Amino acid sequence: MGDLKLPAIDYGALAPMLILFGAACVGVLIEALAPKRSRHPIQLGLALLATVAAFVVVIVFRDKRTVTIGGAVAVDGPTLFLQGAILLLGLVSLLLIGERTVEKGGAFVSQAAITVGSQKDLKQAGSEPGATEVYPLTLFALGGMLLFVGANDLLTMFVALEVFSLPLYLLCALARRRRLLSQEAALKYFLLGSYASAFFLFGVALIYGFSGGVQFSQIHDAVATPERSQVLLFAGLALVAIGLLFKGALAPFHVWTPDVYQGAPTPVTALMAACTKVAAFGALLRILYVAFDGVRWDFQPVLGAIAVLTMLVGAILAVTQTDMKRLLAYSSIANAGYLLVGAVALNKSGLSSTMFYLVAYGFSVLAAFGIVTLVRDADGEATHLSRWAGLGRKSPLFAGLFTFILLAFAGIPLTSGFTSKFAVFGAAIEGGQTWLVIVGVITSMLLAFPYLRVVVMMWLSEPGETTPTVSLPGAMTSAALAIGFLATLALGVAPAPLIDLTNNAAQFVR
């Protein structure tokens, strides 16, 4: 028996993940050992510092192209771009989470934001520390997402899937003042996520039986061998796709999304809507473009049908919603369909436009949920649409910001939503998927109705006695809103720098 030979490890390529995982482990120790009152500033500072440091490392190694740890992790253009996107969006999410918080109405609320309520509530806000365990959990989730988009074999991808999923299940249950709804959402997410992970793992087993390996290069070579069992290939690909489509909130695997988005604390919902979608589509792109591109003509029509179903479900059911967070959940589902339109183009334009869309949508949805956290009354967040009537008269600044974000979701020109939809639709036409573009344009028109209904309600309705006010945001929430708004505007007015960046990054290594 020969000596065990350890694979070569490029620690520079793995540094962003190692920084986040190391900081998360330190955060667990702080949670166990630090005095209760000092945990929040320490945890928040550590989380922000680790995220910024990891992002700096991604920039430093932006030209690195390598496969390391025995082929388990690939660092290439898409990996580095998506990791940078996850870290930037995660940083904005931490800003939303980060002010000294006390839970009221199911969300993390800064002391400055509690402008409605009794003096007892205000005293509680000043004395009760927030749920500081949210910070190491968030770092573990972000670290898992970084590994997920860089995984170069199916087993590593499965491990990364569990690493970032388990903290998210816990984060969804942290709304202690609205415990029943929050824990119900977390339980639904956990159970359905467990089934999706089981499908993914069973698919890995079938693909291993087909190819004799789990690395994407091995699968790619096996796909080119026609005498192998096609049953194992397509059954395995279908099961693996179920796990990824679930994380991306694509129909018919979307049913968890509205309940979880509504029940989870709103900053956690923002984290999931932005970062989880980047991770899910990053992994899906790598599997489709690297491992299974040899059978693209077989799975392309199936994924196209899923994109159509997703766009229709998201657009039609968004019209019927009466809760703001559920409306944004169905909007997220529809946008997942648009992202899949770009992905199934299966060309370089499809890859680059999908990555552009992920960044553009991520900043917009973070700004949207950031504003939702501020519309409050004595009972907490006022998410029912009827409560937003006349909000433009009471808080014109934030109603104007939210109007701009909704117009971006609708794809109005001079916003990032228009630019990103134009990019993915153009890539789909180039890839011969014009029928998907037709459905995409129709559903975009349909989806504009619920957005414009909210705009009309805010500006043209008279405020009632029950209309809540928009609370004064703290410094970090203000920063998060400013970043989201400016990114949405900049990517609509001057998208060329990011488009060039995605074009330069759109090249996988095997």
Side-chain angles (χ1 to χ4, degrees), residues 148 153-163 197-198 200-201 204:
F148 198 54
D153 67 54
L154 290 173
L155 281 182
T156 303
M157 187 169 282
F158 175 75
V159 171
L161 176 66
E162 296 306 300
V163 168
S197 297
F200 187 96
L201 193 58
V204 173

Side-chain angles (χ1 to χ4, degrees), residues 78 88 269 477:
L88 268 183
T269 306
T477 301

Side-chain angles (χ1 to χ4, degrees), residues 115-203:
T115 60
V116 184
S118 65
Q119 290 298 316
K120 180 180 178 182
D121 291 330
L122 293 175
K123 289 180 181 178
Q124 277 188 327
S127 62
E128 183 178 343
T132 52
E133 63 270 20
V134 69
Y135 299 111
L137 289 174
T138 301
L139 290 179
F140 275 123
L142 292 175
M145 292 175 193
L146 298 190
L147 179 59
F148 198 54
V149 298
N152 196 47
D153 67 54
L154 290 173
L155 281 182
T156 303
M157 187 169 282
F158 175 75
V159 171
L161 176 66
E162 296 306 300
V163 168
F164 83 79
S165 294
L166 292 175
L168 289 178
Y169 301 148
L170 295 174
L171 288 170
C172 288
L174 289 182
R176 294 173 181 170
R177 296 296 179 90
R178 203 168 53 172
R179 182 170 298 180
L180 183 61
L181 184 62
S182 179
Q183 292 185 350
E184 178 187 352
L187 184 61
K188 287 179 180 177
Y189 192 25
F190 170 69
L191 290 176
L192 293 175
S194 299
Y195 289 130
S197 297
F199 279 119
F200 187 96
L201 193 58
F202 189 30

Side-chain angles (χ1 to χ4, degrees), residues 20-47:
L20 291 190
F21 286 136
C25 294
V26 173
V28 172
L29 295 177
I30 292 171
E31 199 67 25
L33 302 176
K36 196 169 187 179
R37 289 190 175 278
S38 61
R39 288 179 196 165
H40 182 270
I42 297 174
Q43 293 278 35
L44 174 59
L46 176 65

Side-chain angles (χ1 to χ4, degrees), residues 50-385:
T51 308
V52 171
F55 182 70
V56 170
V57 171
V58 169
I59 294 176
V60 170
F61 290 100
R62 62 186 180 277
D63 296 324
K64 182 176 282 291
R65 303 291 185 270
T66 185
V67 177
T68 186
I69 319 184
V73 175
V75 178
D76 50 24
T79 297
L80 292 168
F81 180 88
L82 294 170
Q83 285 183 343
I86 289 168
L87 290 167
L88 268 183
L89 297 172
L91 183 64
V92 179
S93 302
L94 283 169
L95 292 176
L96 289 177
I97 294 171
E99 300 189 24
R100 187 163 183 86
T101 54
V102 60
E103 292 221 337
K104 186 171 180 64
F108 300 101
V109 186
S110 70
Q111 184 176 351
I114 304 178
T115 60
V116 184
S118 65
Q119 290 298 316
K120 180 180 178 182
D121 291 330
L122 293 175
K123 289 180 181 178
Q124 277 188 327
S127 62
E128 183 178 343
T132 52
E133 63 270 20
V134 69
Y135 299 111
L137 289 174
T138 301
L139 290 179
F140 275 123
L142 292 175
M145 292 175 193
L146 298 190
L147 179 59
F148 198 54
V149 298
N152 196 47
D153 67 54
L154 290 173
L155 281 182
T156 303
M157 187 169 282
F158 175 75
V159 171
L161 176 66
E162 296 306 300
V163 168
F164 83 79
S165 294
L166 292 175
L168 289 178
Y169 301 148
L170 295 174
L171 288 170
C172 288
L174 289 182
R176 294 173 181 170
R177 296 296 179 90
R178 203 168 53 172
R179 182 170 298 180
L180 183 61
L181 184 62
S182 179
Q183 292 185 350
E184 178 187 352
L187 184 61
K188 287 179 180 177
Y189 192 25
F190 170 69
L191 290 176
L192 293 175
S194 299
Y195 289 130
S197 297
F199 279 119
F200 187 96
L201 193 58
F202 189 30
V204 173
L206 294 181
I207 291 172
Y208 179 79
F210 164 77
S211 63
V214 292
Q215 284 191 10
F216 293 157
S217 58
Q218 294 174 305
I219 297 169
H220 177 269
D221 295 339
V223 167
T225 308
E227 61 268 15
R228 292 176 182 263
S229 171
Q230 299 298 298
V231 175
L232 287 177
L233 169 63
F234 292 116
L237 176 57
L239 293 174
V240 166
I242 286 174
L244 298 176
L245 297 177
F246 173 87
K247 281 298 175 190
L250 288 131
F253 314 105
H254 69 285
V255 292
W256 60 274
T257 311
D259 292 336
V260 173
Y261 276 36
Q262 184 183 22
T266 303
V268 174
T269 306
L271 172 72
M272 294 169 57
C275 298
T276 304
K277 202 170 291 293
V278 176
F281 275 91
L284 183 64
L285 288 169
R286 185 170 295 276
I287 281 182
L288 298 182
Y289 282 70
V290 177
F292 295 99
D293 61 327
V295 288
R296 61 173 59 195
W297 307 116
D298 296 291
F299 66 71
Q300 198 172 32
V302 178
L303 291 180
I306 291 174
V308 169
L309 178 62
T310 304
M311 291 185 288
L312 289 173
V313 167
I316 293 172
L317 293 184
V319 175
T320 67
Q321 299 308 306
T322 58
D323 184 271
M324 183 60 69
K325 290 175 76 173
R326 293 182 73 89
L327 169 60
L328 292 176
Y330 281 105
S331 168
S332 175
I333 292 167
N335 278 278
Y338 302 135
L339 282 161
L340 192 57
V341 170
V344 298
L346 296 175
N347 52 30
K348 184 176 180 179
S349 297
L351 176 58
S352 63
S353 63
T354 303
M355 293 193 295
F356 179 91
Y357 200 122
L358 287 167
V359 174
Y361 175 74
F363 282 115
S364 299
V365 79
L366 285 172
F369 279 111
I371 294 173
V372 170
T373 64
L374 301 177
V375 182
R376 314 184 60 78
D377 56 20
D379 297 323
E381 290 176 0
T383 58
H384 198 279
L385 290 184

